[in-house]
Amino acid sequence: MLTGSMIHGRRRNNKQKVGAQVELNFTEIPEGERLPYLPYLLMADESPEIIKPYIDLGDLFALGIQREVAGVMLYIPVDSHTIELKNIAIKEAFRGKGIGKKAIDYACTYYNNAGYETLRVGTANSSIENLAFYQRAGFRMTGVIKDFFLQYPEPIYENGIRALDMILFERSLG
């Protein structure tokens, strides 16, 4: 059973099982207390200049296993029907264990219960692993924002490909 969102600055905690043995905790981090999580957000988006304007928007969740932060996810409302996964990052040691998928599934249930209909996410054309991950997680490609990554102060290269365009995905929450 999922609990409600953070209400008036209080932290909300929820626990979900990952695999047979590991318990994943979701802790919502209030606005004004998020800067210590910037290093996690930088794992998914390499530019502090891009992250800082949105770090205190929406809902930031720390993903914990036992007493260690395994990653973070940040969701920002687009409108009354759509929520955007703005940033998700899982520490290298915790990747490949189903945590990212569990985190997205948790968010889908959580935001569906909050009245949203669609979850949106964007990733770079060069992020081959992300492109596959989002499709395995039930997202469908819906568009491209050409030259999105040209606004970054430094060029980004992944898999020998320059990140230029943002590939948009959506997943129905119903």
Side-chain angles (χ1 to χ4, degrees), residues 32-113:
E33 296 180 26
R34 296 179 178 184
L35 209 48
Y37 295 88
L38 181 61
Y40 295 96
L41 296 167
L42 286 167
M43 288 188 285
D45 192 331
E46 300 173 6
S47 175
E49 295 86 359
I50 300 294
I51 294 171
K52 285 183 181 179
Y54 71 73
I55 195 169
D56 276 323
L57 301 176
D59 302 320
L60 177 67
F61 296 91
L63 312 173
I65 295 180
Q66 296 174 2
R67 294 195 165 129
E68 186 173 354
V69 175
V72 296
M73 57 183 182
L74 185 110
Y75 292 86
I76 297 176
V78 174
D79 56 38
S80 62
H81 303 288
T82 305
I83 189 84
E84 179 179 359
L85 172 54
K86 190 73 170 174
N87 191 310
I88 184 169
I90 308 296
K91 287 170 60 175
E92 186 72 37
F94 294 102
R95 292 182 190 157
K97 300 180 185 329
I99 293 169
K101 174 83 166 69
K102 177 61 79 175
I104 288 173
D105 289 344
Y106 168 83
C108 286
T109 301
Y110 175 79
Y111 288 111
N112 184 46
N113 290 340

Side-chain angles (χ1 to χ4, degrees), residues 148-160:
F148 178 86
F149 291 97
L150 292 180
Q151 68 180 312
Y152 280 62
E154 299 293 326
I156 300 169
Y157 289 88
E158 299 172 288
N159 304 300

